[in-house]
Structure formats: C-alpha cells, structure tokens
Amino acid sequence: MPPANDRDREAPARRRAFDRFLDGVEWLGNLLPHPVTLFALLALFIVLLSGLLAGLGLAVPDPRPEGAPGRAADGMIEVVSLLNGAGLRRILENLVTNFSGFAPLGTVLVAMLGVGVAERSGLLGAVIRAMVLRAPPRLVTAVIVFAGVVSNTAAEMGYVVLIPLAAAIFLALGRHPLAGLAAAFCGVSGGYSANLLIGTVDPLLAGITEAAAHIIDPDYFVHPAVNWYFMMTSTVIITVLGTWVTLNIVEPRLGRYDPAQASENLDEARRLEPLTATERRALAWAGASALGIAALVALMVVPSWGALRTPGVAEGIEAILPFLRGIVALVFVFFLVPGFVYGRLAGTMRSDRDVIDAMARSMSTLGLYIVLVFFAAQFVAFFGWTQLGQIVAVLGAQFLQDIGLTGPLVFLPFILMCMLINLSLGSASAQWAVTAPIFVPMLMLVGYSPEVIQAAYRIGDSTTNLITPMMSYFGLILAFASKYVRNLGIGTLIASMLPYTIAFALGWIAWFYVWVFALGLPVGPAAPTYYPAG
C-alpha cells in the first residue's frame, strides 16, 4: 500500500477538488455566529416576525378537534404579536421563568452532578482502560469503537481520555496511531447518540422534544428513556460498522506508520498503564455497588407493589410513570454511589469534601451550556407564544400531504437535512432547539410520535459530527493527531473520517427503517411509533 503522500501525487486533481469542497464547508460554517449569539438573534427575529405576520393577518385552520385544549372558538390559529405592549410585558415578566423552567436545564444539571463524581474519582477512566487494555489484540479495534460509544454517558470523557489512549494503543501494537485515533473518534462522536445506558444527552433532547410536542398536544410527556431500545441496538450497529471501516478502509489507506512523521518523542506514548491491583479492587466494588442499585431499582419497578409504580394501576405507561419521571434522579444515584465507592477504595476520594468538589467541578464545565440555555429557552418560549410553530407545522404537514410524502419515506429527507445542518451547527442541543419546534409538530400532524422523530434526528445529528470543523472537540482531535503526523491538516483528518460518516449514515438509516417500520418495534419503553393525527 503506497504512503498517503504518494497517493496524493497520483490523484492531485481529485484531492484538490475534495479540498475545495472541505474549504467551502468550513467557510460556510464560519459565517454562522456563536450558538449563543445565534439563539439571541433568533429570539429577536421571532419578535419582529410575529409583529409583521400578525399585522398581515396570517392564520390557518386548526387541525385539532373541537373542544381540544388550546383550540380557538373560531377554529383558526392566528399569529400572536410580541411587538406590542402586551408582548413586551409578557417577555419581561417571563424572562426568568423561561430560563428556570426550561426542561433540559434541571435534568442535565442533576445528571451531571452524579457523572462528575464518577469522572473525578477516576471510575470512568478506569472502566475505559479496563475495556481497551485487556482486550485480545484481534478485538482491540472493536473494543475501542465500543468503548467510544459507551463513553458518551460521561460527555467529554471519550474525547479527553479514550481518543489519545486509542492512538497510543495502536502505536504500541505496531499499527498506525491515526487508525486508533479514528476508531475511537468514530465511536465517541459518530456514535454520539448510541449507548447502552441513559446519558446526559437523553434528558436534554427529551426536554426539547417535549416542549416542541406541546405546540400540538400540551399534555404530551416525553421521558428521557424514549429512545433507549433503539440506541442500545444502535451501539452494536455503530461498533460493527466502525470496526469494518477501520480495518478495511482507514487503516489500509494510512499504510505503515513511520515514527519520523511524529512532531515529538513518542516514548511516553508507548508506555501504556494497565490498572493497578488497587484500581482493579476498587473497580470490582464499584461494579458491585452499581449492580446493587440496579437490583434495588428493579425491585421497586417490576413487582406490582413496587414503590416506583403508580398505586392502583396494573399495566401500561401509567403504571411506571413514577419510574420514568424519576429516571434522571436515578442516573444521578447510579453514577454518584459507584463513583464514590471507587474513589474511596482507590484513594482518590477520602471525604465528603472530595465529592462536593467533584460536583462543583462538573458544574463549572457547564458554564457555556447554561449561557446557551438561557437564550435557547427564550427562543423556544417566544416561538410558542407567537403560535408560529403551530402555523408552520400545519402548513408543512399540508405540503407533505399534498405531495403524498406522509409515509415512512418522510424521515429520509428529514435525517439528511439534520446531517446537513450539523455541518455548521455542531451542538446537538442547539440544533434540536432550533429545528424541533418546527419538525416535531409537523411530523406529529402527519401521524408520527415525537419519540420516533427524536430518534431519527439523533441519527442525522451524530453521523456528520466526524467531518465538521464546527464540532466543539474537532480542534482537540486535530491536536492529538498532529502529535503523530506533524503539520496534519484539517482536510486530511476529515478525509480519514468521511468513510465512517458514509457508512454510519447508510447503515444507521437502514437500521432505523428495519427497527421501526419493518419489525414494528418501539424505539424505547412506552414510546409509541405513531401519533393519532387529527
């Protein structure tokens, strides 16, 4: 296999064309403002637009039946202007409650308190090292991809710990370190929405989805585990596809690694650190505590007399509503207790002060997120007050019906659109906060549930994370890669990751249609596929 630079000389025209395409994507992405600024501008735009459209008298027929909550007596949905005295008073009076009552805010903060303890104690890092370093050589690639997917439970842990570790592991095995980096990156970022566990992104997205669903159905409830079944099986899909692409496309393309390409001494990278006896003991006890918590929760949910079941209700979603509504608190406990057990036995946590410090540090990392949520909450609230979301949903649904695109194929352009938007707006929550108020009501009106719509969105949001410089950790990955290949360019990194994006898009979309429509399986517990439109 010729080295990468030889192949570049063999096909310079193709490379120049591809580089121009990448430059164009980066240029377009750089035209967008910071997500915080974007939400502030969108909120202002909604206020101005509501005044204009209300003045023009825009209205559409309300598709909801007579007597439905929120339906006007004349059966029409009209634009409510915020560009007047009443609108100004409403904005000022609700500015704080829009922020404090924004559904994703509290759920993410609570979940991150527990995750912060598990991360600070070293538990999450130890789990990743145990999974990767003890894997048989033939399974190292698959284990790295799988570990990358699972690491998403703890947000940036995969980016900061696993990706550089995977490159070092491949180097120690005599393989190209960038292939290891790519395998970990594809799992962490390309498989961002797949996981075996409920992570911090699940309550975040569920809160935004629920707020969008309220445009059509004010009583609709979306719990954090609505995509759990589909995302658990997606973990297998991403692991298989990521392993295949690494072994058959990326690693052969990179060829044999020449240490002379490195920008620094690699001796340190060659020294991998397996778990010590103390860490193994601590990890075993942490695992035992996690199993104990899971058994206790099962005891409170499965039996009809369980404390986390609705008294007097035997079956259906109503029977387990207390469990579903409390799942964020359970995630907090699930990470807090094993995290402290590990830290106490490993010597990284000795008192309650260490636990408190870990929680405080996890909150400090969410400063930018909290600022973003403030403006996102205003945008979502303004959008709902003006009824523009309902009007767009009705018009969009009518358009889909007019062109006959109301069957399952409607999700294909929706996923592709999400993939395209993600190239310029790399934040999962930011993108969904903008698009959910439009597409959730629209697709509800043609008969699909918010749970299924959210699952489809997560495919589009994850698959193009690998090839966009707008992804917040892209610069960090480039820095890791430059350690092994000096002067590595953005185009080289994106070209290495593009095969994963293509494979994930094709395979994951196909699996979505198989799971939801061919097999007719729910995407999560108590998650219907269809919504009774009309």
Side-chain angles (χ1 to χ4, degrees):
M1 188 73 185
N5 56 353
D6 289 345
R7 285 193 303 275
D8 290 345
R9 287 194 294 268
E10 292 169 5
R14 178 178 60 83
R15 291 287 297 172
R16 283 196 297 269
F18 186 66
D19 285 340
R20 285 197 298 271
F21 166 74
L22 297 177
D23 290 342
V25 171
E26 185 175 5
W27 178 77
L28 288 173
N30 286 333
L31 292 179
L32 286 177
H34 190 282
V36 172
T37 306
L38 179 63
F39 276 118
L41 293 175
L42 285 173
L44 177 61
F45 174 72
I46 290 298
V47 172
L48 298 176
L49 184 64
S50 68
L52 173 63
L53 296 181
L56 296 176
L58 179 64
V60 297
D62 195 329
R64 292 172 293 186
E66 292 187 15
R71 191 178 192 272
D74 62 357
M76 300 297 291
I77 302 175
E78 300 177 349
V79 177
V80 176
S81 175
L82 297 179
L83 198 62
N84 51 34
L88 178 61
R89 290 190 295 272
R90 189 173 189 180
I91 291 172
L92 293 178
E93 291 171 1
N94 292 278
L95 198 72
V96 174
T97 54
N98 289 345
F99 174 54
S100 61
F102 194 55
L105 178 62
T107 54
V108 171
L109 294 181
V110 171
M112 281 301 296
L113 287 173
V115 172
V117 174
E119 178 182 352
R120 188 69 179 169
S121 70
L123 172 60
L124 298 180
V127 170
I128 291 174
R129 286 161 57 204
M131 289 175 58
V132 174
L133 294 177
R134 299 185 63 181
R138 296 182 61 184
L139 296 179
V140 164
T141 304
V143 172
I144 285 176
V145 177
F146 175 76
V149 177
V150 174
S151 72
N152 289 319
T153 304
E156 73 269 9
M157 274 298 297
Y159 291 104
V160 176
V161 176
L162 180 62
I163 291 177
L165 179 62
I169 290 170
F170 267 50
L171 179 64
L173 294 175
R175 301 168 67 179
H176 203 299
L178 292 192
L181 180 144
F185 188 21
C186 85
V188 173
S189 196
Y192 181 71
S193 279
N195 216 320
L196 299 180
L197 303 173
I198 302 300
T200 54
V201 70
D202 294 278
L204 188 154
L205 295 181
I208 296 173
T209 303
E210 181 178 291
H214 286 173
I215 294 175
I216 297 298
D217 187 343
D219 298 321
Y220 205 92
F221 170 60
V222 181
H223 61 83
V226 291
N227 295 151
W228 191 18
Y229 298 161
F230 180 67
M231 293 309 159
M232 279 196 295
T233 60
S234 296
T235 301
V236 179
I237 300 297
I238 293 300
T239 300
V240 171
L241 291 174
T243 302
W244 186 88
V245 170
T246 302
L247 296 176
N248 294 278
I249 300 177
V250 174
E251 195 165 12
R253 179 179 180 274
L254 290 170
R256 184 178 297 277
Y257 179 64
D258 180 5
Q261 295 178 299
S263 60
E264 60 183 75
N265 192 313
L266 297 178
D267 289 341
E268 184 66 27
R270 293 181 187 274
R271 292 198 294 267
L272 305 182
E273 298 180 1
L275 296 178
T276 65
T278 300
E279 289 175 325
R280 288 196 298 270
R281 175 173 171 268
L283 190 59
W285 279 104
S289 67
L291 289 176
I293 293 171
L296 181 61
V297 172
L299 188 63
M300 292 189 291
V301 175
V302 176
S304 59
W305 43 263
L308 294 181
R309 294 177 67 93
T310 305
V313 181
E315 57 186 23
I317 185 174
E318 292 81 7
I320 58 171
L321 270 180
F323 165 70
L324 295 177
R325 293 186 185 277
I327 200 165
V328 174
L330 295 176
V331 169
F332 164 71
V333 175
F334 188 79
F335 283 97
L336 172 65
V337 175
F340 179 70
V341 169
Y342 178 88
R344 189 83 171 105
L345 295 176
T348 56
M349 287 188 165
R350 301 185 182 279
S351 68
D352 60 319
R353 287 185 176 274
D354 294 321
V355 176
I356 295 169
D357 287 343
M359 291 182 176
R361 285 178 179 271
S362 69
M363 291 297 100
S364 67
T365 63
L366 294 176
L368 179 60
Y369 169 74
I370 293 173
V371 174
L372 186 146
V373 163
F374 174 78
F375 291 99
Q378 309 310 323
F379 164 74
V380 171
F382 295 176
F383 200 68
W385 295 344
T386 60
Q387 300 195 128
L388 286 172
Q390 294 168 284
I391 291 174
V392 172
V394 171
L395 295 175
Q398 185 61 51
F399 172 74
L400 293 175
Q401 292 169 350
D402 290 343
I403 66 174
L405 190 60
T406 58
L409 281 180
V410 72
F411 285 101
L412 183 57
F414 171 62
I415 294 173
L416 294 176
M417 181 214 66
C418 292
M419 292 173 61
L420 183 63
I421 292 177
N422 193 54
L423 290 173
S424 298
L425 189 59
S427 168
S429 57
Q431 184 187 162
W432 193 224
V434 172
T435 54
I438 297 173
F439 290 99
V440 169
M442 182 188 302
L443 295 178
M444 285 176 69
L445 289 176
V446 296
Y448 296 103
S449 73
E451 293 86 344
V452 169
I453 300 167
Q454 178 181 287
Y457 162 74
R458 296 176 75 165
I459 296 173
D461 171 69
S462 296
T463 49
T464 48
N465 278 340
L466 301 168
I467 59 172
T468 171
M470 300 301 107
M471 197 271 293
S472 56
Y473 286 98
F474 194 88
L476 179 65
I477 307 306
L478 187 63
F480 287 149
S482 298
K483 177 179 180 179
Y484 300 98
V485 179
R486 56 178 172 271
N487 301 323
L488 184 77
I490 290 177
T492 303
L493 181 57
I494 293 179
S496 296
M497 303 311 299
L498 186 59
Y500 294 105
T501 291
I502 296 172
F504 287 179
L506 295 176
W508 213 347
I509 291 173
W511 181 239
F512 173 79
Y513 277 98
V514 169
W515 180 269
V516 176
F517 299 110
L519 299 178
L521 298 173
V523 292
T529 298
Y530 300 100
Y531 178 79

